[in-house]
């Protein structure tokens, strides 16, 4: 179909992970992002540079977790269980970067990245990406790795501040420790394949279920409460209305109502996932974006569940998939976009 052709034409080096650190937005090329993790329990060696938040065992290796706040002169703040870590693959090393949260994963036109309006000497900024009045600093991963390498030996000492930034309440400590143990168990004997756009899925929550869809179909993420929804008369109740994004009107679908016949409970975490399609502009309301995961096609169908939990009228719209004893509902975007009931006449 035309939708598949259009999606597969996306070049990998155009996909960027957008994150928030403090009040600023930064973007990292997806080819260098191995994995996106929620914060886990970290360890602290006797000596480490001021910008290292801790160390972590990842796939049999000990890697540094970097807090760029110290480098960017951003005021430090305590982490919480919603803090995220980007696991990065450089030319020579693997390391992690602490971010407040992942705000977007999307294709951008790299030709319009403007040079930074300041000297880039001893800097790892590739340029500034401007979009709808919002500026994002695009990071040059090669320069960042070179900077980290040159700074490792500059009088490393015990970073007392680092350990104090982790959550200290008992419940959060238990959560971080459990995540660490799960990460170690998950990555034992797993060789790195990288975050390739094909076979990479974004997972998200709707009610008590975890859904996922291929990243190639994702055109952007938008906070629901920050959008203005135009109501449409005489439409199915799972259609919330239209929103305007970059001059285009997008039909907003309440996926929980669409699949489970229950309206979503809208919160400040409710997110619209804009779907890339040549012929049909649509966005899905989800409760909260979670993480990324790799699913190979043969693995998807090998671990396919029996579909007894599905309420969708069209059973082909979802594949029930089990990974690490957890059930994921994988959206078949082609089937969903082919359903005539989505079209507003």
């Amino acid at each position: 179909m035309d939708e598949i052709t259009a999606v597969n034409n996306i070049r990998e080096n155009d996909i960027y992970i957008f994150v928030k650190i403090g009040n600023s937005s930064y973007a990292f090329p997806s080819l260098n992002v191995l994995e996106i993790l929620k914060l886990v329990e970290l360890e602290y060696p006797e000596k480490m540079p001021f910008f290292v938040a801790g160390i972590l065992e990842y796939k049999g290796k000990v890697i540094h977790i970097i807090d760029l706040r110290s480098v960017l002169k951003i005021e430090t703040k305590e982490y919480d269980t919603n803090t995220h870590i980007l696991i990065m693959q450089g030319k020579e090393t693997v390391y992690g970067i602490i971010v407040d949260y992942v705000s977007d994963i999307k294709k951008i036109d790299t030709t319009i990245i403007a040079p930074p309006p300041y000297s880039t000497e001893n800097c790892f900024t590739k340029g500034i990406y401007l979009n709808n009045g919002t500026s994002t600093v695009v990071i040059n991963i090669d320069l960042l790795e070179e900077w980290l390498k040159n700074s490792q030996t500059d009088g490393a000492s015990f970073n007392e501040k680092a350990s104090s930034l982790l959550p200290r309440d008992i419940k959060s400590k238990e959560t971080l420790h459990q995540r660490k143990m799960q990460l170690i168990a998950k990555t034992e004997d797993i060789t790195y394949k990288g975050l390739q756009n094909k076979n990479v899925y974004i997972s998200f929550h709707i009610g008590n279920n975890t859904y996922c869809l291929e990243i190639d179909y994702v055109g952007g993420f938008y906070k629901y409460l920050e959008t203005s929804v135009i109501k449409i008369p005489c439409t199915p109740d799972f259609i919330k209305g239209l929103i305007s994004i970059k001059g285009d009107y997008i039909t907003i679908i309440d996926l929980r109502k669409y699949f489970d016949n229950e309206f979503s409970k809208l919160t400040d975490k409710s997110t619209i996932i804009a779907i890339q399609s040549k012929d049909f502009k649509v966005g899905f309301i989800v409760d909260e974006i979670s993480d990324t995961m790799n699913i190979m096609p043969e693995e998807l169908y090998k671990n396919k569940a029996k579909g007894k939990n599905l309420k969708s009228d069209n059973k082909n719209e979802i594949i029930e998939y089990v990974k690490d004893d957890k059930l994921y509902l994988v959206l078949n975007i082609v089937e969903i976009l082919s359903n005539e009931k989505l079209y507003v006449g």
Side-chain angles (χ1 to χ4, degrees), residues 12 21 33 151 162 180 183 187 193 234 251 287 294 304-305 326 329 343:
E12 288 185 325
I21 303 177
V33 181
S151 303
K180 176 185 174 182
L183 177 64
T187 59
K193 294 182 180 179
C234 304
T251 303
D287 292 349
N294 286 86
K304 183 177 178 181
K326 182 175 181 179
L329 303 179
Y343 290 79

Side-chain angles (χ1 to χ4, degrees), residues 120-134:
T120 56
E121 185 177 359
N122 298 321
C123 174
F124 39 82
T125 298
K126 180 177 181 178
I128 307 297
Y129 174 69
L130 297 174
N131 184 37
N132 291 337
T134 302

Side-chain angles (χ1 to χ4, degrees), residues 33-52:
V33 181
L34 306 187
E35 195 167 353
I36 302 172
L37 306 173
K38 286 189 175 180
L39 184 67
V40 301
E41 181 182 55
L42 302 176
E43 302 293 336
Y44 301 95
E46 185 175 340
K47 290 186 177 182
M48 60 185 186
F50 70 95
F51 52 82
V52 175

Side-chain angles (χ1 to χ4, degrees), residues 37 39-67 79 85 87 94-98 152 156-159 162-163 166 176-177 180-181 183-184:
L37 306 173
L39 184 67
V40 301
E41 181 182 55
L42 302 176
E43 302 293 336
Y44 301 95
E46 185 175 340
K47 290 186 177 182
M48 60 185 186
F50 70 95
F51 52 82
V52 175
I55 60 175
L56 174 67
E57 181 183 347
Y58 182 77
K59 298 187 178 180
K61 296 181 178 180
V62 175
I63 65 173
H64 283 158
I65 306 300
I66 310 301
D67 190 340
Y79 314 136
I85 298 175
I87 304 296
V94 176
Y95 54 93
I97 295 177
I98 284 185
Q152 296 282 353
S157 59
F158 182 67
N159 188 349
S163 60
L166 281 177
L176 298 188
H177 180 72
K180 176 185 174 182
M181 294 298 101
L183 177 64
I184 292 174

